Amino acid sequence: MSAARLQLWGALVGLAGIGALIAGGCANEQQKKGQELYAHYCMHCHGEHGRQNEGFNWSSMPDPKPKDLSNKSEMSTFKDEDIFNTVSRDMKDTSPGGDKIGDDDFAVPTMPTFKYTLSEEEIWAIVGYVRTLHGMKLEFKVDERKKELAAGVQTAQGAFDQAKQVYEAAEKKASEEAEKKSAALKKDVDVDESAYAKEQAAMGQAKKALDAAQTALTNFSMRPGKGVNVARPDMTMTPDQAAQAAETGKRLYANKYGCNGCHSLGGEGGKVGPALDRAGFRLNGTWVYRWVKNPQAMKPETRMPALGLSDADAKAVTMYLGTLNAPKADEAPAAVKPAS
């Protein structure tokens, strides 16, 4: 091999080595990020190594208990996408007559969703780290997903630009025709908007598709609730409406949003968050509403995720918490002594 070829070969090998280091660095960075996120949001229930009864909250949680993430024989039956869809989903109302739950739907209320708290990239990092707890690797191509979303934006942008061009041409033609008629009749003639209504509707649809594609790309790397402040709600209700809302909130508390997985009432429930027996005394209703809608907007480092509560659900849960007025321990009525 000539000296020139040897030099070229050495350069190519060097570039390949640098590429491998970069790829390895990205993989290590992603795993580190996944470990940090797991430690902050998952470890208290699932444990440091994913084993049952390892997390400090595990034994306090109602059944079903958190899954053993270190069990390879079980965890290997799940695809990466299955784990992702468990971590990132809409919460289901498991009450009788509640939401329709399909055979493949994951509907354990005490396992929160992180769909409204973390970016897609962060959730994939968690999935990748969870895979290491049972000796596997993430197979899902996260970088390819990002490229796919970017390509989707580019395609949607092209479709919108073309639809806009067609619309503007149709609008211009209609305006020119109105001007000709106006000149011929020597009076003002309105532009026939129906002549380009079809093109206008097509442009509107293309704009919606572009917005959706841009949102998907943004959510890949940016947290969906970041910087979103919740407006103060109107909590005005009649006594009957308040009582009905509180009853609904009581059901949602346990059967949809699984608040009892992290909070306790009467000594029953999780211990990640504070006990809520005296929430009606301690907490302001407006604050509660804004908190359950987007906890990170009020306290970025909180472990409590945003669970995707609708305005109606947030009001119902707020009204229910407002009814929790247990006395302080030192104010509890003395036990009645048995008659002698």
Side-chain angles (χ1 to χ4, degrees):
M1 187 179 289
S2 67
R5 287 187 176 182
L6 282 172
Q7 186 176 10
L8 176 60
W9 175 254
L12 291 173
V13 170
L15 288 172
I18 292 172
L21 285 173
I22 292 173
C26 290
N28 292 336
E29 183 179 343
Q30 185 184 42
Q31 183 171 337
K32 180 182 177 183
K33 185 65 176 177
Q35 185 175 13
E36 291 173 351
L37 290 167
Y38 178 90
H40 187 71
Y41 291 109
C42 315
M43 190 184 295
H44 42 272
C45 292
H46 285 284
E48 182 179 0
H49 305 96
R51 302 182 188 125
Q52 292 189 312
N53 206 18
E54 188 178 44
F56 73 83
N57 194 54
W58 191 92
S59 61
S60 301
M61 299 180 69
D63 290 330
K65 300 290 189 183
K67 189 177 293 295
D68 184 350
L69 301 180
S70 68
N71 185 344
K72 186 175 182 178
S73 63
E74 181 180 8
M75 293 302 298
S76 62
T77 65
F78 298 106
K79 298 178 181 178
D80 293 337
E81 292 85 349
D82 294 332
I83 301 175
F84 181 94
N85 291 334
T86 299
V87 179
S88 177
R89 69 190 196 285
D90 285 320
M91 304 295 284
K92 298 281 189 178
D93 185 354
T94 60
S95 306
D99 293 326
K100 183 178 179 181
I101 300 174
D103 293 338
D104 296 329
D105 287 336
F106 181 86
V108 177
T110 49
M111 166 64 195
T113 181
F114 291 90
K115 179 178 181 177
Y116 304 97
T117 301
L118 302 177
S119 68
E120 182 178 333
E121 191 171 25
E122 287 177 316
I123 294 174
W124 279 120
I126 291 177
V127 175
Y129 182 70
V130 166
R131 281 305 196 197
T132 69
L133 297 177
H134 47 267
M136 294 178 65
K137 291 184 179 180
L138 181 72
E139 298 293 335
F140 185 87
K141 306 301 182 184
V142 179
D143 289 339
E144 289 184 12
R145 169 63 175 167
K146 188 173 185 178
K147 291 177 182 177
E148 176 188 307
L149 291 171
V153 171
Q154 188 174 4
T155 300
Q157 182 69 62
F160 170 72
D161 291 343
Q162 184 177 5
K164 182 180 179 182
Q165 186 176 8
V166 172
Y167 160 73
E168 289 176 344
E171 183 188 33
K172 181 180 179 182
K173 181 180 178 181
S175 296
E176 290 173 348
E177 289 179 354
E179 289 177 3
K180 288 180 182 179
K181 289 180 180 179
S182 179
L185 298 173
K186 299 185 183 307
K187 65 177 183 178
D188 291 338
V189 175
D190 293 333
V191 176
D192 182 9
E193 295 182 357
S194 65
Y196 54 87
K198 182 179 178 182
E199 290 79 2
Q200 187 176 31
M203 183 181 68
Q205 290 298 320
K207 181 63 167 65
K208 288 182 180 179
L210 175 59
D211 290 343
Q214 289 174 331
T215 298
L217 180 59
T218 298
N219 287 348
F220 181 85
S221 55
M222 183 178 292
R223 295 186 173 187
K226 188 174 182 179
V228 178
N229 290 317
V230 179
R232 293 173 64 88
D234 179 5
M235 301 296 290
T236 305
M237 298 183 191
T238 65
D240 286 346
Q241 289 173 332
Q244 185 176 0
E247 190 63 28
T248 299
K250 181 179 181 179
R251 187 187 79 243
L252 298 176
Y253 176 93
N255 296 344
K256 184 173 183 178
Y257 298 111
C259 309
N260 53 330
C262 289
H263 299 276
S264 67
L265 286 174
E268 297 291 330
K271 51 189 178 184
V272 179
L276 296 176
D277 304 78
R278 292 177 53 78
F281 286 121
R282 297 190 300 107
L283 305 177
N284 172 271
T286 297
W287 182 92
V288 171
Y289 176 92
R290 297 180 67 213
W291 174 264
V292 298
K293 287 282 287 185
N294 190 356
Q296 282 68 35
M298 302 177 73
K299 187 179 180 182
E301 71 278 9
T302 182
R303 288 175 172 174
M304 179 172 169
L307 299 176
L309 277 76
S310 65
D311 292 350
D313 282 4
K315 286 184 179 182
V317 171
T318 298
M319 296 306 294
Y320 169 60
L321 294 179
T323 67
L324 302 179
N325 298 316
K328 291 182 179 179
D330 55 2
E331 293 177 352
V336 178
K337 295 182 179 180
S340 56

